[in-house]
């Protein structure tokens, strides 16, 4: 609801203005002096003020300055009886939103609802603008929280593959500070042994506009090697893809376990090959070069079959 304050020292003018505005659906509070106006604004800030230029205890422009010190969002409409453009210009320069020129025939009263309607619409636009800005700030804050608190590594690169932004997980994993990675090529952090090249990620996202999944082998700031399961997606804009975003999960421990498994299997295979070969070799000799009994031959066949199966 509009909180409208009328500052007018002439009671007759005030009653006429109040009657006109009430017919137009406005309700207002009336004060007659500059001191009362300033006190009212300090006590409760109104949305709109109809401010007479000539007041018994002060200049309306000075009251306007006091209102502006309190808030820049109060709609102040100056009421002036001086048909002087310089007064209007000065009032607008000092923060008035609009003005109404008082006329002796009181025809200006019919202008008041139109002027207030126009400025009320402006207030609503400003309120909507504030709500949209607040929503954008909240959205950006949520994105920043998700970005920084994500457990997975996140890196944003431009179309040339230069790092634009990384999250806290990137710093924690690699040890590089933000200034050490900004505007550096992602490829600088990828080892030659990496199954997936950084340029491949960039080309797929930027040139082909598609995401991809691959494994990156990186070296940290301290020289340690880490493995990432990296998934990328293009960052699309009306002017084309400006770059790509990569989300990487640390799979270093998984790769270490896989390597341990491979090493173990290779060791077991190597260590078992010689004794198994000896068993099958002697079994073959005994079966072919010696004439064992039927019972012994059955035993040798069982030994030979088990060894070959092993």
């Amino acid at each position: 609801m509009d909180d409208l304050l009328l500052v007018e020292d002439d009671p007759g003018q005030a009653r006429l203005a109040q009657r006109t505005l009430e017919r137009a659906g406005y309700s207002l509070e009336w004060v007659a002096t500059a001191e009362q106006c300033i006190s009212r604004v300090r006590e409760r800030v109104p949305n709109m003020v109809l401010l007479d230029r000539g007041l018994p205890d002060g200049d309306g422009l000075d009251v306007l300055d006091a209102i502006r010190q309190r808030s820049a969002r109060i709609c102040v409409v100056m009421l002036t009886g001086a048909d002087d453009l310089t007064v209007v210009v000065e009032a607008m320069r000092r923060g008035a939103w609009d003005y109404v020129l008082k006329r002796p025939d009181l025809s200006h009263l019919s202008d008041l609802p139109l002027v207030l309607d126009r400025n009320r619409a402006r207030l609503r636009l400003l309120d909507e603008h504030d709500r949209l800005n607040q929503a954008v700030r909240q959205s950006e804050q949520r994105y920043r929280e998700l970005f920084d608190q994500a457990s997975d590594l996140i890196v944003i690169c431009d179309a040339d593959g230069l790092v634009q932004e990384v999250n806290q997980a990137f710093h924690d994993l690699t040890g590089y500070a933000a200034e050490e990675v900004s505007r550096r090529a992602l490829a600088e952090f990828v080892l030659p042994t990496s199954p997936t090249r950084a340029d491949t990620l960039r080309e797929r996202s930027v040139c082909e506009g598609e995401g991809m999944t691959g494994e990156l082998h990186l070296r940290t700031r301290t020289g340690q090697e880490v493995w990432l399961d990296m998934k990328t997606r293009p960052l699309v804009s009306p002017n084309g893809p400006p770059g790509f975003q990569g989300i990487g999960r640390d799979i270093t421990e998984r790769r270490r376990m896989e390597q341990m498994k491979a090493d173990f299997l290779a060791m077991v295979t190597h260590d078992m090959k010689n004794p198994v070969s000896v068993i099958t070799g002697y079994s073959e000799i005994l079966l072919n070069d010696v004439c064992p009994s039927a019972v012994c031959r059955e035993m040798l066949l069982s030994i030979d079959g088990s060894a070959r199966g092993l």
Side-chain angles (χ1 to χ4, degrees), residues 269-285 304 307-308 310:
T269 302
H270 178 270
D271 290 350
M272 291 182 64
K273 183 177 181 180
N274 287 337
V276 169
S277 297
V278 170
I279 293 172
T280 56
Y282 279 114
S283 298
E284 187 177 349
I285 292 172
D304 184 70
R308 292 184 185 279
L310 183 60

Side-chain angles (χ1 to χ4, degrees), residues 153-269:
L153 175 152
I154 302 177
V155 57
I156 297 175
C157 298
D158 64 11
D160 296 322
L162 301 181
V163 176
Q164 302 298 305
E165 193 174 4
V166 295
N167 68 340
Q168 186 60 43
F170 184 97
H171 301 308
D172 295 340
L173 182 64
T174 66
Y176 288 103
E179 59 273 12
E180 293 179 302
V181 298
S182 180
R183 302 301 303 170
R184 289 178 62 184
L186 179 62
E188 295 182 32
F189 305 96
V190 180
L191 293 169
T193 53
S194 178
T196 305
R197 296 170 56 247
D199 288 342
T200 303
L201 297 176
R202 181 188 64 81
E203 292 168 2
R204 180 70 65 85
S205 297
V206 175
C207 300
E208 302 178 20
E210 299 178 356
M212 69 170 296
T213 301
E215 288 189 3
L216 290 184
H217 192 190
L218 306 180
R219 188 186 302 280
T220 69
R221 195 175 189 278
T222 59
Q224 296 178 323
E225 297 181 7
V226 295
W227 289 85
L228 294 177
D229 182 13
M230 180 70 78
K231 180 177 294 186
T232 64
R233 68 178 183 90
L235 297 177
V236 181
S237 74
N239 299 323
F244 64 94
Q245 179 190 71
I247 300 178
R249 178 158 296 178
D250 183 8
I251 59 169
T252 305
E253 183 64 20
R254 190 181 80 187
R255 288 300 298 263
R256 188 180 71 85
M257 296 299 295
E258 289 174 352
Q259 188 60 46
M260 288 177 61
K261 177 181 177 181
D263 292 343
F264 173 76
L265 292 176
M267 178 188 68
V268 170
T269 302

Side-chain angles (χ1 to χ4, degrees), residues 66-236:
I67 291 174
R68 282 290 162 258
Q69 291 177 2
R70 177 68 175 174
S71 172
R73 287 293 299 275
I74 301 175
C75 169
V76 178
V77 178
M78 292 297 299
L79 300 173
T80 176
D83 191 4
D84 188 349
L85 186 60
T86 59
V87 174
V88 173
V89 171
E90 180 64 14
M92 302 296 282
R93 187 187 68 80
R94 291 164 76 161
W97 284 24
D98 216 327
Y99 73 96
V100 173
L101 181 64
K102 288 183 175 181
R103 303 184 187 93
D105 61 359
L106 303 180
S107 60
H108 65 279
L109 293 175
S110 62
D111 295 337
L112 291 179
L114 300 176
V115 172
L116 291 180
D117 287 347
R118 179 171 64 232
N119 287 280
R120 181 166 59 179
R122 181 180 173 186
L123 276 173
R124 288 172 177 169
L125 286 175
L126 288 174
D127 290 340
E128 181 64 22
H129 183 265
D130 288 345
R131 284 193 292 271
L132 290 174
N133 281 339
Q134 179 65 20
V136 169
R137 285 192 294 269
Q138 291 176 349
S139 177
E140 290 176 346
Q141 182 179 359
R142 287 193 294 269
Y143 167 78
R144 177 54 55 186
E145 290 174 353
L146 291 172
F147 185 81
D148 287 333
Q149 296 177 10
S151 58
D152 291 337
L153 175 152
I154 302 177
V155 57
I156 297 175
C157 298
D158 64 11
D160 296 322
L162 301 181
V163 176
Q164 302 298 305
E165 193 174 4
V166 295
N167 68 340
Q168 186 60 43
F170 184 97
H171 301 308
D172 295 340
L173 182 64
T174 66
Y176 288 103
E179 59 273 12
E180 293 179 302
V181 298
S182 180
R183 302 301 303 170
R184 289 178 62 184
L186 179 62
E188 295 182 32
F189 305 96
V190 180
L191 293 169
T193 53
S194 178
T196 305
R197 296 170 56 247
D199 288 342
T200 303
L201 297 176
R202 181 188 64 81
E203 292 168 2
R204 180 70 65 85
S205 297
V206 175
C207 300
E208 302 178 20
E210 299 178 356
M212 69 170 296
T213 301
E215 288 189 3
L216 290 184
H217 192 190
L218 306 180
R219 188 186 302 280
T220 69
R221 195 175 189 278
T222 59
Q224 296 178 323
E225 297 181 7
V226 295
W227 289 85
L228 294 177
D229 182 13
M230 180 70 78
K231 180 177 294 186
T232 64
R233 68 178 183 90
L235 297 177
V236 181

